[in-house]
Amino acid sequence: MSYADGLTAFLREHFSHIEIPDAERAVMDRAGRELAASGLAERALRTGDTAPGFSLPTATGRTVTLDGLLSAGPVVLTFYRGAWCPFCNFALRVLQQRHADITARGAQLVAISPQIPDESLTLTERHSLAFDVLSDVGSDTAKQFGISFDLPDDLAAVYESFGFDLQRVNGGHARTLPVPATYVIDRNATIRWSFLDTDYTARAEPSDILAALDALPAAR
C-alpha cells in the first residue's frame, strides 16, 4: 500500500465525522504556512550530506547508535512527531507493511520521535512494530539533522485543547517537534536519499525508499 492512497481511505474512515472549529483551524493553517516559509526545509540535511551520529534509547531500554546500525548495513531513518499524531501512527503502520522488503535489501529501519521511552513502547506494542523506535527526548538528534522546530504559543494551546499532553509524553520538552523526514543512509554515513516536508500529513512513500535502497552501490 502506498502512503498517499492509504491516507485517502484513512482520512475518510477516521476524520470525516470530526469538525475542527474555525478558530483552531485558522491557527493550524497559519502555523503551517509560517513553518513552510521559515526556510527550515532548505536548511535541513539533504542527500549528499553526512548523517550526524546519535546514541538513543529504544522503547525497551537498549541503546542504539548510528555507528552500530551502519556496521551491519545501510539505515532507513524516519522521524515522526509522536504517538499522539494520527498521521504518524498511520505512516509507521505503512512502513511496517514494507519492513520485510527493507530488510531483504540488507537495510535496517529505525524510527525516532521526541517521546519518552514508555510512550514509544506503547506505540510499538499497539502497532506490532518489528523495528526499533528510539526516543530523542529534547530533540537533540532532530536538531542535528536540522528538522526540529518550536510550536508557536497559540498552536501549542490548540494541541493542548485537543488533549495532546506533549509536556508529559515529550519529557518536559512540549514545544519542540521534528518535521516528518526520512533518510536512506549508506554505511559511510552519507545520506543517499532524503524526504522532508513541513506539512505534517506528508510522508515518504515506501516505494521511493525501496528504490533508493536499490540504487545504493553494490558494496553497501
Side-chain angles (χ1 to χ4, degrees), residues 103-126:
T103 58
R105 288 162 168 80
Q108 295 183 74
L109 171 63
V110 177
I112 296 180
S113 86
Q115 297 181 131
I116 59 177
D118 281 352
E119 292 297 314
S120 297
L121 179 60
T122 300
L123 173 74
T124 300
E125 293 175 338
R126 182 189 309 140

mmCIF file of all heavy atoms in Angstrom, residues 103-126:
data_model
loop_
_atom_site.group_PDB
_atom_site.id
_atom_site.type_symbol
_atom_site.label_atom_id
_atom_site.label_comp_id
_atom_site.label_asym_id
_atom_site.label_seq_id
_atom_site.Cartn_x
_atom_site.Cartn_y
_atom_site.Cartn_z
ATOM 1 N N THR A 103 14.351 -4.988 4.939
ATOM 2 C CA THR A 103 15.383 -5.863 5.486
ATOM 3 C C THR A 103 15.924 -6.810 4.422
ATOM 4 O O THR A 103 17.094 -7.211 4.477
ATOM 5 C CB THR A 103 14.850 -6.670 6.686
ATOM 6 O OG1 THR A 103 13.708 -7.436 6.278
ATOM 7 C CG2 THR A 103 14.430 -5.734 7.821
ATOM 8 N N ALA A 104 15.092 -7.173 3.437
ATOM 9 C CA ALA A 104 15.559 -8.044 2.345
ATOM 10 C C ALA A 104 16.648 -7.369 1.537
ATOM 11 O O ALA A 104 17.437 -8.051 0.863
ATOM 12 C CB ALA A 104 14.392 -8.427 1.445
ATOM 13 N N ARG A 105 16.717 -6.070 1.601
ATOM 14 C CA ARG A 105 17.755 -5.313 0.894
ATOM 15 C C ARG A 105 18.957 -5.035 1.787
ATOM 16 O O ARG A 105 19.825 -4.231 1.432
ATOM 17 C CB ARG A 105 17.154 -4.013 0.357
ATOM 18 C CG ARG A 105 16.204 -4.242 -0.820
ATOM 19 C CD ARG A 105 15.298 -3.059 -1.065
ATOM 20 N NE ARG A 105 14.596 -3.171 -2.339
ATOM 21 C CZ ARG A 105 13.510 -3.915 -2.525
ATOM 22 N NH1 ARG A 105 13.010 -4.633 -1.529
ATOM 23 N NH2 ARG A 105 12.921 -3.949 -3.714
ATOM 24 N N GLY A 106 19.015 -5.700 2.929
ATOM 25 C CA GLY A 106 20.151 -5.575 3.826
ATOM 26 C C GLY A 106 20.153 -4.330 4.681
ATOM 27 O O GLY A 106 21.163 -3.999 5.311
ATOM 28 N N ALA A 107 19.024 -3.623 4.746
ATOM 29 C CA ALA A 107 18.943 -2.373 5.500
ATOM 30 C C ALA A 107 18.155 -2.563 6.789
ATOM 31 O O ALA A 107 17.402 -3.528 6.948
ATOM 32 C CB ALA A 107 18.300 -1.282 4.650
ATOM 33 N N GLN A 108 18.338 -1.625 7.706
ATOM 34 C CA GLN A 108 17.571 -1.595 8.934
ATOM 35 C C GLN A 108 16.709 -0.339 8.959
ATOM 36 O O GLN A 108 17.166 0.749 8.596
ATOM 37 C CB GLN A 108 18.494 -1.583 10.153
ATOM 38 C CG GLN A 108 19.330 -2.835 10.319
ATOM 39 C CD GLN A 108 20.164 -2.775 11.578
ATOM 40 O OE1 GLN A 108 19.653 -2.928 12.687
ATOM 41 N NE2 GLN A 108 21.448 -2.533 11.418
ATOM 42 N N LEU A 109 15.466 -0.504 9.390
ATOM 43 C CA LEU A 109 14.533 0.609 9.547
ATOM 44 C C LEU A 109 14.499 1.014 11.013
ATOM 45 O O LEU A 109 14.346 0.155 11.897
ATOM 46 C CB LEU A 109 13.140 0.192 9.072
ATOM 47 C CG LEU A 109 11.987 1.154 9.351
ATOM 48 C CD1 LEU A 109 12.194 2.490 8.627
ATOM 49 C CD2 LEU A 109 10.654 0.518 8.948
ATOM 50 N N VAL A 110 14.641 2.305 11.277
ATOM 51 C CA VAL A 110 14.603 2.831 12.636
ATOM 52 C C VAL A 110 13.763 4.108 12.633
ATOM 53 O O VAL A 110 13.894 4.939 11.727
ATOM 54 C CB VAL A 110 16.023 3.145 13.167
ATOM 55 C CG1 VAL A 110 15.947 3.751 14.558
ATOM 56 C CG2 VAL A 110 16.873 1.890 13.201
ATOM 57 N N ALA A 111 12.895 4.248 13.639
ATOM 58 C CA ALA A 111 12.077 5.448 13.772
ATOM 59 C C ALA A 111 12.515 6.238 15.005
ATOM 60 O O ALA A 111 12.923 5.643 16.014
ATOM 61 C CB ALA A 111 10.600 5.080 13.885
ATOM 62 N N ILE A 112 12.425 7.551 14.928
ATOM 63 C CA ILE A 112 12.842 8.428 16.028
ATOM 64 C C ILE A 112 11.745 9.456 16.285
ATOM 65 O O ILE A 112 11.209 10.062 15.341
ATOM 66 C CB ILE A 112 14.154 9.162 15.702
ATOM 67 C CG1 ILE A 112 15.307 8.180 15.539
ATOM 68 C CG2 ILE A 112 14.490 10.189 16.778
ATOM 69 C CD1 ILE A 112 16.640 8.846 15.202
ATOM 70 N N SER A 113 11.424 9.661 17.560
ATOM 71 C CA SER A 113 10.496 10.724 17.945
ATOM 72 C C SER A 113 10.986 11.353 19.246
ATOM 73 O O SER A 113 11.844 10.784 19.932
ATOM 74 C CB SER A 113 9.079 10.175 18.144
ATOM 75 O OG SER A 113 8.907 9.689 19.464
ATOM 76 N N PRO A 114 10.431 12.518 19.630
ATOM 77 C CA PRO A 114 10.833 13.140 20.887
ATOM 78 C C PRO A 114 10.140 12.554 22.110
ATOM 79 O O PRO A 114 10.312 13.059 23.219
ATOM 80 C CB PRO A 114 10.436 14.617 20.683
ATOM 81 C CG PRO A 114 9.322 14.588 19.712
ATOM 82 C CD PRO A 114 9.588 13.415 18.819
ATOM 83 N N GLN A 115 9.394 11.478 21.947
ATOM 84 C CA GLN A 115 8.670 10.875 23.057
ATOM 85 C C GLN A 115 9.598 10.176 24.054
ATOM 86 O O GLN A 115 10.666 9.689 23.676
ATOM 87 C CB GLN A 115 7.700 9.813 22.542
ATOM 88 C CG GLN A 115 6.614 10.314 21.635
ATOM 89 C CD GLN A 115 5.706 9.185 21.225
ATOM 90 O OE1 GLN A 115 4.503 9.301 21.316
ATOM 91 N NE2 GLN A 115 6.263 8.091 20.750
ATOM 92 N N ILE A 116 9.121 10.069 25.281
ATOM 93 C CA ILE A 116 9.823 9.271 26.277
ATOM 94 C C ILE A 116 9.677 7.792 25.915
ATOM 95 O O ILE A 116 8.746 7.400 25.202
ATOM 96 C CB ILE A 116 9.278 9.537 27.697
ATOM 97 C CG1 ILE A 116 7.777 9.215 27.767
ATOM 98 C CG2 ILE A 116 9.533 10.982 28.110
ATOM 99 C CD1 ILE A 116 7.176 9.372 29.160
ATOM 100 N N PRO A 117 10.604 6.925 26.398
ATOM 101 C CA PRO A 117 10.560 5.508 26.023
ATOM 102 C C PRO A 117 9.238 4.806 26.320
ATOM 103 O O PRO A 117 8.811 3.949 25.543
ATOM 104 C CB PRO A 117 11.714 4.904 26.832
ATOM 105 C CG PRO A 117 12.694 6.028 26.952
ATOM 106 C CD PRO A 117 11.838 7.259 27.138
ATOM 107 N N ASP A 118 8.590 5.144 27.430
ATOM 108 C CA ASP A 118 7.319 4.483 27.745
ATOM 109 C C ASP A 118 6.277 4.709 26.664
ATOM 110 O O ASP A 118 5.496 3.806 26.334
ATOM 111 C CB ASP A 118 6.775 4.974 29.095
ATOM 112 C CG ASP A 118 7.469 4.319 30.283
ATOM 113 O OD1 ASP A 118 8.252 3.380 30.063
ATOM 114 O OD2 ASP A 118 7.226 4.745 31.423
ATOM 115 N N GLU A 119 6.241 5.911 26.115
ATOM 116 C CA GLU A 119 5.294 6.199 25.036
ATOM 117 C C GLU A 119 5.662 5.434 23.776
ATOM 118 O O GLU A 119 4.790 4.940 23.056
ATOM 119 C CB GLU A 119 5.276 7.701 24.752
ATOM 120 C CG GLU A 119 4.681 8.537 25.866
ATOM 121 C CD GLU A 119 3.209 8.224 26.106
ATOM 122 O OE1 GLU A 119 2.453 8.140 25.116
ATOM 123 O OE2 GLU A 119 2.828 8.064 27.276
ATOM 124 N N SER A 120 6.956 5.321 23.501
ATOM 125 C CA SER A 120 7.401 4.556 22.333
ATOM 126 C C SER A 120 7.066 3.081 22.483
ATOM 127 O O SER A 120 6.706 2.409 21.513
ATOM 128 C CB SER A 120 8.909 4.733 22.139
ATOM 129 O OG SER A 120 9.226 6.074 21.860
ATOM 130 N N LEU A 121 7.166 2.570 23.710
ATOM 131 C CA LEU A 121 6.843 1.165 23.955
ATOM 132 C C LEU A 121 5.365 0.911 23.691
ATOM 133 O O LEU A 121 4.997 -0.088 23.061
ATOM 134 C CB LEU A 121 7.201 0.781 25.384
ATOM 135 C CG LEU A 121 6.899 -0.668 25.793
ATOM 136 C CD1 LEU A 121 7.655 -1.646 24.906
ATOM 137 C CD2 LEU A 121 7.256 -0.895 27.263
ATOM 138 N N THR A 122 4.523 1.818 24.160
ATOM 139 C CA THR A 122 3.086 1.680 23.920
ATOM 140 C C THR A 122 2.783 1.673 22.427
ATOM 141 O O THR A 122 1.999 0.860 21.933
ATOM 142 C CB THR A 122 2.321 2.827 24.600
ATOM 143 O OG1 THR A 122 2.567 2.794 26.005
ATOM 144 C CG2 THR A 122 0.815 2.709 24.358
ATOM 145 N N LEU A 123 3.431 2.573 21.707
ATOM 146 C CA LEU A 123 3.241 2.640 20.258
ATOM 147 C C LEU A 123 3.694 1.354 19.585
ATOM 148 O O LEU A 123 3.001 0.798 18.727
ATOM 149 C CB LEU A 123 4.014 3.826 19.699
ATOM 150 C CG LEU A 123 4.063 3.961 18.180
ATOM 151 C CD1 LEU A 123 2.716 4.451 17.654
ATOM 152 C CD2 LEU A 123 5.172 4.910 17.749
ATOM 153 N N THR A 124 4.872 0.863 19.970
ATOM 154 C CA THR A 124 5.427 -0.352 19.373
ATOM 155 C C THR A 124 4.501 -1.542 19.583
ATOM 156 O O THR A 124 4.245 -2.323 18.658
ATOM 157 C CB THR A 124 6.812 -0.647 19.987
ATOM 158 O OG1 THR A 124 7.688 0.450 19.723
ATOM 159 C CG2 THR A 124 7.407 -1.916 19.406
ATOM 160 N N GLU A 125 3.979 -1.679 20.794
ATOM 161 C CA GLU A 125 3.108 -2.804 21.104
ATOM 162 C C GLU A 125 1.761 -2.672 20.400
ATOM 163 O O GLU A 125 1.212 -3.652 19.892
ATOM 164 C CB GLU A 125 2.916 -2.901 22.614
ATOM 165 C CG GLU A 125 4.188 -3.282 23.366
ATOM 166 C CD GLU A 125 4.016 -3.248 24.871
ATOM 167 O OE1 GLU A 125 3.085 -2.548 25.330
ATOM 168 O OE2 GLU A 125 4.812 -3.901 25.577
ATOM 169 N N ARG A 126 1.230 -1.455 20.349
ATOM 170 C CA ARG A 126 -0.093 -1.247 19.752
ATOM 171 C C ARG A 126 -0.100 -1.603 18.277
ATOM 172 O O ARG A 126 -1.057 -2.187 17.767
ATOM 173 C CB ARG A 126 -0.523 0.207 19.928
ATOM 174 C CG ARG A 126 -1.940 0.506 19.374
ATOM 175 C CD ARG A 126 -2.216 1.993 19.366
ATOM 176 N NE ARG A 126 -1.940 2.584 20.644
ATOM 177 C CZ ARG A 126 -1.360 3.781 20.805
ATOM 178 N NH1 ARG A 126 -0.964 4.473 19.745
ATOM 179 N NH2 ARG A 126 -1.156 4.275 22.002
#
